[in-house]
Amino acid sequence: MKRFVGLFISVALLLQMLLVPSFSGDAADSGVNFTLSAARSGDTLEVSVTVSGDASYNSMALYNLNYDKAYLTFTGFSGNEDILNKVRFPAASFMEDGDITLAFTKAETLNGQICRMHFDIAADIPCGTYTVSGTPLVKNSSAVIASSVAAGSFTVPHVPEYMAAVAATCTTGGS
């Protein structure tokens, strides 16, 4: 019975974190700022997720990951080992769909990278600029703390297509 009650409370905490809308303010005014920095390497994209701010909190989430699913495929996380040592539910912290839900064992004030997200880039991706973003939610107990997200982006440059050389034909006047 205790195990059931513990599981119920855990699920309720995670649902509460996701269902309460975040307070949106300017990045300069926010208590916690998420920054997504994208770096492309061939047919893969790595997005570094960092957090900064001076607010203390016991839970945070970055969910509703927003990216062009026609050309990017989320493949997983790395670099999150340090964070997993600070959360109550490591198995439920970094989800298959890219959502991040962290319920800390005690109040934290993090500054730095919390993880790296990895994406495969489709071979037929057209030229243009692509962004990766999400919805933030940061709480201390039940109080929502102002938070913001600076989206990561990368550009696929235009590659000109050259036409085959055509032999020139010239005529001289009167001939």
Side-chain angles (χ1 to χ4, degrees):
M1 184 66 169
K2 286 182 181 181
R3 188 173 249 171
F4 175 73
V5 171
L7 179 64
F8 178 76
I9 291 171
S10 299
V11 170
L13 172 67
L14 291 174
L15 287 174
Q16 177 189 15
M17 285 177 52
L18 294 175
L19 296 178
V20 175
S22 65
F23 173 86
S24 46
D26 294 334
D29 299 337
S30 294
V32 179
N33 304 307
F34 290 88
T35 302
L36 307 181
S37 304
R40 181 179 182 182
S41 176
D43 60 352
T44 62
L45 179 69
E46 181 177 282
V47 178
S48 176
V49 180
T50 59
V51 62
S52 62
D54 55 4
S56 182
Y57 41 85
N58 61 8
S59 62
M60 70 168 39
L62 182 63
Y63 61 101
N64 288 339
L65 203 57
N66 186 13
Y67 59 93
D68 193 333
K69 291 171 180 63
Y71 299 109
L72 297 174
T73 304
F74 178 76
T75 58
F77 293 99
S78 67
N80 56 353
E81 296 80 15
D82 290 340
I83 295 296
L84 289 175
N85 294 327
K86 297 179 179 189
V87 298
R88 291 181 187 188
F89 313 105
S93 296
F94 295 91
M95 307 307 286
E96 292 177 2
D97 60 359
D99 288 352
I100 301 169
T101 305
L102 305 173
F104 297 103
T105 56
K106 63 181 177 109
E108 296 283 347
T109 303
L110 301 176
N111 283 290
Q113 180 176 287
I114 59 172
C115 69
R116 290 183 301 279
M117 303 170 132
H118 300 277
F119 298 84
D120 284 339
I121 302 172
D124 62 343
I125 189 169
C127 63
T129 299
Y130 297 84
T131 60
V132 178
S133 188
T135 303
L137 176 60
V138 180
K139 296 174 88 177
N140 192 19
S141 297
S142 60
V144 175
I145 297 173
S147 58
S148 66
V149 174
S153 66
F154 73 101
T155 300
V156 177
H158 173 70
V159 178
E161 295 180 26
Y162 296 100
M163 306 213 28
V166 177
T169 57
C170 299
T171 58
T172 57
S175 325

